[in-house]
Amino acid sequence: MVLNYIWIAFFVIAFIVALTRLIFLGDTEVFPAIINSTFETSKTAFDISLGLTGVLSLWLGIMKIGEKGGIVDWFARILSPIFCRLFPDIPKGHPVTGSIFMNLAANMLGLDNAATPLGLKAMEGLQQLNKEKDTASNPMIMFLVLNTSGLTLIPISIMVYRVQMGAAQPTDIFVPILLATFFSTLTGIIAVSLYQRINLLNRTILLFLGGISLFMGGIIYLFSRLTQHAIEVYSTTTANAFLFCIIIGFILAGMRKKVNVYDAFVEGAKEGFTTAVRIIPYLVAILVAIGVFRASGAMDYLISGIEDLVELCGINSDFVAGLPTALMKPLSGSGARGMMVDAMNTYGADSFTGRLACIFQGSTDTTFYILAVYFGSVGVVKTRHAVPCGLLADLAGILSAIFICYLFFN
């Protein structure tokens, strides 16, 4: 419903701005430019979706090998002590824990829509444990905020979009997204824990969160002392080596379990193909709307107004052009994806704005969409503190993304 209003608003505002420019400025080129943008952006959307098909098929195939090879179960056992404390109301060893982990794993791999079916399955399991069926339970809210904070280890989809848009080093946003999404997730966990009176000061959680925090802090310290060229080299090398190790590790795990890795891969790849085809109409719809909005001049007026306000406050305004992605992300994943692609298409994939839009896209997830879909799927209407905690995580992700992008790419 929210996306419906946003989509209509893009066209209505574009028409009003274009008509104003025609009447008061005599700009006879504005309406032809709008129509031309609809053809160009619809073609761009299809080309991007076509390129995404192969990569989604690849990574869902690899995920299926990992699932059958026991990697997922192994991670579930490793994370069990943490899950037991973050989800104290879930009985130890309950099957829903595996569903939660599978969903979070898909999010960590940056597989976007592929995580949704897994999330719905996890929500159904949590609803079975829920005593008040119309009210969100504590585990539901923690699960939702972990989703909305967008914890991403491997932003596959974003890197594919960067390839499609001609980035020289598509993986150079790997480490920045990892850092930004960590701060978003950490903020979300702390916020929910305060609401639910979950004790984060026990040894297990302190060691886990403290260790990760020290690791992330070390990365920031290391990269802050490197030159721009060295940052790009280390970030790209780390991303590529990590991705290849994931692929090899999953295949070896499948072989160890005597899994037919080829058949398992094909089974998962079919799901990836279906997912990629399913997003084509959504991407076309939102990119055409954004293209019309931009061609009318409305986007330029919006960015210019925010930029003037930021400069009045004495703040560097380089980040403003990337803000549309950040503002759209809590409302719509496809909308934010369209804004990200539009930013790379307009400013360049390797520009500061293009990279910042990618980091915004990877730093958080679609708060309102996830709340609507996940809660709606099980009939929950009373969301309690899910929205404020989710939005707080979004804010932390946006602020950290801006800081980290200046650190890496300014």
Side-chain angles (χ1 to χ4, degrees), residues 44-67:
T44 299
F46 181 77
D47 290 341
I48 290 172
S49 299
L50 194 63
L52 190 62
T53 304
V55 178
L56 268 181
S57 297
L58 166 66
W59 280 98
L60 280 180
I62 295 296
M63 277 288 288
K64 183 62 70 174
I65 294 174
E67 180 184 346

Side-chain angles (χ1 to χ4, degrees), residues 342-380:
D342 182 69
M344 288 192 286
N345 188 48
T346 302
Y347 300 98
D350 291 325
S351 66
F352 178 85
T353 300
R355 285 165 165 159
L356 178 59
C358 292
I359 300 173
F360 280 144
Q361 176 72 5
S363 63
T364 62
D365 214 323
T366 50
T367 298
F368 289 105
Y369 171 82
I370 290 174
L371 290 172
V373 172
Y374 283 18
F375 280 148
S377 68
V378 294
V380 169

Side-chain angles (χ1 to χ4, degrees), residues 44 68 119 126 128 155 160 165 182 214 262 283 285 310 314 322 371 375:
T44 299
K68 293 189 173 183
L126 292 172
Q128 292 175 5
V160 173
M165 301 306 296
F182 166 74
L214 287 174
Y262 180 80
L283 192 57
V310 169
L371 290 172
F375 280 148

